[in-house]
Amino acid sequence: MDAGGRNPVGQGEDTEIPAAKEDEPASARAGTRGRRAVVASLMLCMGLAALDSTIVSTAVPQIVGDLGGFSVFSWLFSGYLLAVTVTLPVYGKLSDTFGRKPVLIAGSILFLLGSLLCALAWNMAALIAFRVVQGLGGGALQGTVQTLAADLYPLEQRPKIQAKLSTVWATSAVAGPALGGVIAAYADWRWIFLINLPLGAVALWLLIRHLHEPQRERKTTERPRIDWAGALTVFACGGVLLTALVQGGVAWPWLSPPSMALFGTGLALIAALVLIERRAAEPIIPGWVWRRRTIAAVNLALGALGLLMVAPTVFLPTYAQSVLGLAPITAGFVLSVWTLSWPVSAALSQHVYRRIGFRDTAMLGIGTATLLLFAFPFLPYPGEAWQPTLLMFLLGGALGLFQLPLLVGVQSTVGWSERGTATASVLFCRQTGQTIGAALFGAVANGVLAARLGGAGDLDSVTRALDSGAPGEHVRRAVAEAVHAVYFGAACAAGLAFLVLLLVAPRRFPLLKNPGD
């Protein structure tokens, strides 16, 4: 930037700063065939993590019928989510310290071990414990794959690989429930976990054979020190707080002694974590993650993205079935259309941010998303199915324009030795936002239903009642108002992300120009 705030590199480009030599990416420098094989392995790894979060849901009745434990089956999802979320910062730091390849291989092996154990589970408690093992490996898959994607490609080519990874998530969101239903109907539910083994074996073979990270020169001759105290505190703090958010209002009231005890313990662990990380030689969560405006702004903005994504993914299917009267498959299509427009928009976003910059492109996307979310409560009642379908299609396009420029931008402002930590912090904030959003919007929806139906129950009980027969008009209107309130809250979260980018993020991201790229 010059003194007047203009960008000397070009009006539509973000500022480029030459990187230090030690920050050159340790990416796979093999030929085109080798890089394609590595990309295939990354897509397989990402597919395992993405598919596992959706495929189990449709097999829950068969799992409960076989193992029992109906009162705790929700922990099949919560336990996995907790393990993935709390391990993201740890794996990010480890990949910066020891390299991406050993971390990704170790995480893949742990994920496959958890899958095998899940298939051998003898009761619900064992299955939940083994799902946690899966999640411990899943954290490495999600974070390290995204980091390696940035290592493999220079800035101008990163949208291509990120669009491919977005397509993997979109395909898994659509195919996962259907595949889980087919396996549950025509085979034993244990095959849901066993199919991970051959796919994971292929991914591991490709990684071991084709991913070659150049040896990095260390700034000192000392062996890297692992911040075990910080890692354990991150595990404990994240586990306690996320448990409080997941179970609050479900297993116990929000203001009950268990909730107060968990939140109090979580706050105490946060204070302990700050003290530990300040004294650590190589902290798991370094302070620069929040001191740098670009990374801090993107963390907050994508945390808001995780928050607002809860509205369509959790509440739109119920709205489509109970208010619009659609069949479950058709209701699923209403939601799935945004998985079609999101990766396409993400792939095309490079043509926008090359002209106007990362921040302004993301603001354009989230600003459009804010308007679309605000428009949902104004849909006519009961309305036609094409109306929310069109909004979801446009919303996917807007969010693709929002998320990918921020992720690529952040990864391009740090060197190799910091990229894993920066990427993990972004993913951690988005995952945490989803957890907070599920708790917050669940409370909002249940509150509206209680007010409209005279304390007749929460959204889950109303949904079960709807399954037993045609809903009454007053119930349909109550569900519509509850979902409208959730979408209004999601629009507020999107507006908050817009303000964060406007007020906190620098207008031009300080990009590092790696000589190796």
Side-chain angles (χ1 to χ4, degrees):
M1 293 285 181
D2 60 18
R6 295 182 296 274
N7 183 6
V9 180
Q11 186 175 1
E13 300 175 3
D14 290 87
T15 307
E16 291 183 352
I17 301 175
K21 186 177 178 68
E22 62 266 21
D23 282 337
E24 291 185 14
S27 54
R29 297 297 183 188
T32 302
R33 180 182 299 178
R35 188 162 69 169
R36 287 177 178 173
V38 174
V39 170
S41 69
L42 296 186
M43 294 180 69
L44 278 174
C45 289
M46 185 63 78
L48 289 175
L51 194 65
D52 203 71
S53 61
T54 58
I55 193 172
V56 179
S57 59
T58 51
V60 166
Q62 287 76 16
I63 294 174
V64 172
D66 187 13
L67 302 180
F70 177 79
S71 61
V72 295
F73 82 88
S74 63
W75 274 98
L76 291 175
F77 311 99
S78 300
Y80 180 84
L81 174 65
L82 291 175
V84 168
T85 304
V86 300
T87 54
L88 279 169
V90 178
Y91 284 126
K93 180 61 179 178
L94 291 177
S95 72
D96 284 342
T97 304
F98 299 104
R100 326 296 189 209
K101 184 175 182 177
V103 172
L104 186 54
I105 289 176
S108 299
I109 292 173
L110 189 58
F111 181 88
L112 295 178
L113 174 63
S115 299
L116 178 61
L117 293 174
C118 285
L120 300 175
W122 54 91
N123 57 34
M124 184 61 74
L127 182 58
I128 291 172
F130 298 148
R131 282 282 286 172
V132 171
V133 175
Q134 259 193 321
L136 294 176
L141 297 183
Q142 291 193 26
T144 314
V145 165
Q146 293 281 8
T147 306
L148 257 173
D151 289 347
L152 285 169
Y153 288 88
L155 172 60
E156 56 272 12
Q157 296 181 16
R158 284 172 191 161
K160 296 180 181 179
I161 180 62
Q162 292 294 346
K164 290 180 180 178
L165 296 179
S166 297
T167 302
V168 171
W169 276 100
T171 304
S172 300
V174 176
L179 181 60
V182 169
I183 292 176
Y186 298 102
D188 193 278
W189 60 266
R190 299 176 190 273
W191 282 100
I192 287 177
F193 302 104
L194 290 174
I195 61 173
N196 292 335
L197 301 182
L199 296 176
V202 173
L204 274 174
W205 182 79
L206 291 173
L207 282 173
I208 294 171
R209 181 177 175 83
H210 294 285
L211 178 57
H212 306 290
E213 294 185 295
Q215 186 70 29
R216 291 192 304 131
E217 294 183 4
R218 295 195 177 275
K219 298 179 181 179
T220 67
T221 58
E222 297 180 3
R223 294 181 61 185
R225 288 179 288 180
I226 302 176
D227 179 19
W228 291 115
L232 292 175
T233 309
V234 168
F235 279 127
C237 180
V240 168
L241 289 177
L242 292 177
T243 299
L245 291 170
V246 169
Q247 294 297 98
V250 179
W252 49 68
W254 284 109
L255 298 179
S256 64
S259 282
M260 295 296 101
L262 286 172
F263 281 116
T265 303
L267 293 176
L269 288 171
I270 288 177
L273 179 62
V274 171
L275 294 176
I276 292 171
E277 296 300 85
R278 282 182 174 179
R279 298 178 180 179
E282 296 184 13
I284 291 293
I285 304 179
W288 57 260
V289 168
W290 292 103
R291 286 195 297 267
R292 298 181 190 177
R293 286 179 58 195
T294 303
I295 301 177
V298 172
N299 283 344
L300 293 173
L302 291 187
L305 172 65
L307 194 73
L308 69 89
M309 284 177 61
V310 172
T313 55
V314 176
F315 295 94
L316 185 60
T318 298
Y319 178 90
Q321 293 181 65
S322 59
V323 178
L324 301 180
L326 302 179
I329 295 179
T330 310
F333 175 76
V334 173
L335 173 62
S336 66
V337 293
W338 79 336
T339 65
L340 304 177
S341 57
W342 190 317
V344 173
S345 173
L348 298 176
S349 66
Q350 59 178 314
H351 302 293
V352 183
Y353 68 65
R354 285 177 180 172
R355 292 178 176 272
I356 65 176
F358 290 112
R359 189 198 73 159
D360 291 347
T361 302
M363 288 176 61
L364 175 64
I366 198 63
T368 304
T370 303
L371 297 177
L372 292 170
L373 291 166
F374 267 125
F376 192 92
F378 296 98
L379 292 178
Y381 176 86
E384 301 292 335
W386 67 267
Q387 295 164 338
T389 303
L390 177 61
L391 283 182
M392 288 303 300
F393 183 81
L394 296 175
L395 181 63
L399 294 181
L401 203 62
F402 167 66
Q403 182 188 27
L404 185 64
L406 293 182
L407 180 59
V408 172
V410 161
Q411 290 179 328
S412 304
T413 64
V414 294
W416 188 96
S417 61
E418 296 177 339
R419 190 171 292 145
T421 299
T423 302
S425 72
V426 169
L427 299 178
F428 175 80
C429 289
R430 191 182 68 182
Q431 290 277 84
T432 303
Q434 287 183 275
T435 305
I436 295 174
L440 176 63
F441 292 146
V444 169
N446 293 337
V448 172
L449 285 174
R452 289 285 298 172
L453 302 177
D458 58 15
L459 187 63
D460 290 336
S461 62
V462 171
T463 303
R464 289 194 296 270
L466 294 176
D467 291 338
S468 61
E473 182 66 18
H474 70 293
V475 175
R476 295 178 66 191
R477 286 190 175 274
V479 172
E481 291 189 16
V483 177
H484 288 167
V486 168
Y487 266 81
F488 180 80
C492 292
L496 179 62
F498 182 90
L499 291 177
V500 166
L501 293 177
L502 178 65
L503 301 176
V504 181
R507 187 165 182 264
R508 302 297 180 191
F509 283 19
L511 307 182
L512 290 178
K513 184 69 174 180
N514 286 311
D517 289 344

